[in-house]
Amino acid sequence: REVELAGVTLGKVSLNNELREVTLKLTSSKSDYMALGTTRTWGCTCGVSTLPCPFHLCQEVLSRALAKARGQVVSEFASKDLPLFATSTGSIPLKAKFIETFEAVAAQLGLPVLTSEGTRAYGGHSLRVTGAQSLAAHGIEVTKIRILARHSGEAILRYVAQAPLTTLRADLGLVD
């Protein structure tokens, strides 16, 4: 969720370059805003052409955030408390700004930012929804998706079921 992204600090991200893995310390529930609860580790997925690589993307984002911290003359110790996704002034972004960013990316990709009913197409759960749909399309079991998403309820099933068949077929390379 966008609120969890806002709370990720540089100190909650660790890269293992030898294993090509990224580990994030994440919240275990909506009430765990300090992210004291759990970690998730992802390895390099560069061998899967239809998936973005979490390790290399995080390596790039972390590198840019650390460079920004050095530019602000922040000590390595103090930089651990800086947000991974900071505003231009270095502060934690507002939830609404993440949604604006999702909409800006969608617009750049030529995707509609409003639904046919006129409501916003993107919100705080957009990454969770599309992530679940993409992972399911790549054959990841729903139980594993639930674990990754830290979601034990039925919402993941709803997210996966709502994936347009053409999108799933395209993600699987089955488009005629």
Side-chain angles (χ1 to χ4, degrees), residues 51 129-142 144-145 148 156-157 159-161 163 168 171-172:
L51 279 178
V129 173
T130 57
Q133 291 172 346
S134 180
L135 291 171
H138 284 85
I140 305 296
E141 297 172 36
V142 173
K144 290 182 180 177
I145 297 170
L148 289 169
I156 295 297
L157 295 176
Y159 299 161
V160 172
L168 292 176
D171 284 348
L172 290 170

Side-chain angles (χ1 to χ4, degrees), residues 1-174:
R1 292 176 13 247
E2 81 293 346
V3 73
E4 292 170 312
L5 280 176
V8 175
T9 60
L10 300 181
K12 293 179 181 166
V13 181
S14 62
L15 293 174
N16 182 325
N17 290 313
E18 186 177 316
L19 296 176
R20 295 188 342 171
E21 292 180 337
V22 58
T23 300
L24 294 175
K25 185 179 271 193
L26 299 166
T27 60
S28 59
S29 69
K30 289 182 180 181
S31 61
D32 182 20
Y33 67 93
M34 294 294 291
L36 302 173
T38 191
T39 60
R40 291 293 180 264
T41 300
W42 274 89
C44 175
T45 59
C46 286
V48 182
S49 63
T50 56
L51 279 178
C53 177
F55 171 75
H56 287 101
L57 287 172
C58 197
Q59 190 177 45
E60 184 177 335
V61 170
L62 189 59
S63 174
R64 290 179 185 202
L66 288 170
K68 188 174 184 176
R70 282 191 297 275
Q72 296 172 348
V73 194
V74 175
S75 73
E76 186 175 332
F77 179 77
S79 70
K80 294 188 181 309
D81 292 328
L82 294 175
L84 180 63
F85 299 102
T87 66
S88 59
T89 61
S91 62
I92 295 173
L94 299 173
K95 182 175 168 173
K97 293 296 181 185
F98 268 104
I99 294 169
E100 286 177 21
T101 301
F102 299 163
E103 290 173 340
V105 169
Q108 287 180 359
L109 293 171
L111 300 171
V113 293
L114 297 176
T115 66
S116 58
E117 294 84 28
T119 60
R120 291 177 111 162
Y122 303 94
H125 286 263
S126 292
L127 298 179
R128 183 172 282 194
V129 173
T130 57
Q133 291 172 346
S134 180
L135 291 171
H138 284 85
I140 305 296
E141 297 172 36
V142 173
T143 53
K144 290 182 180 177
I145 297 170
R146 281 181 165 159
I147 291 167
L148 289 169
R150 295 163 294 122
H151 215 298
S152 60
E154 299 302 310
I156 295 297
L157 295 176
R158 221 173 31 256
Y159 299 161
V160 172
Q162 290 172 349
L165 184 57
T166 54
T167 301
L168 292 176
R169 290 180 53 78
D171 284 348
L172 290 170
L174 301 174

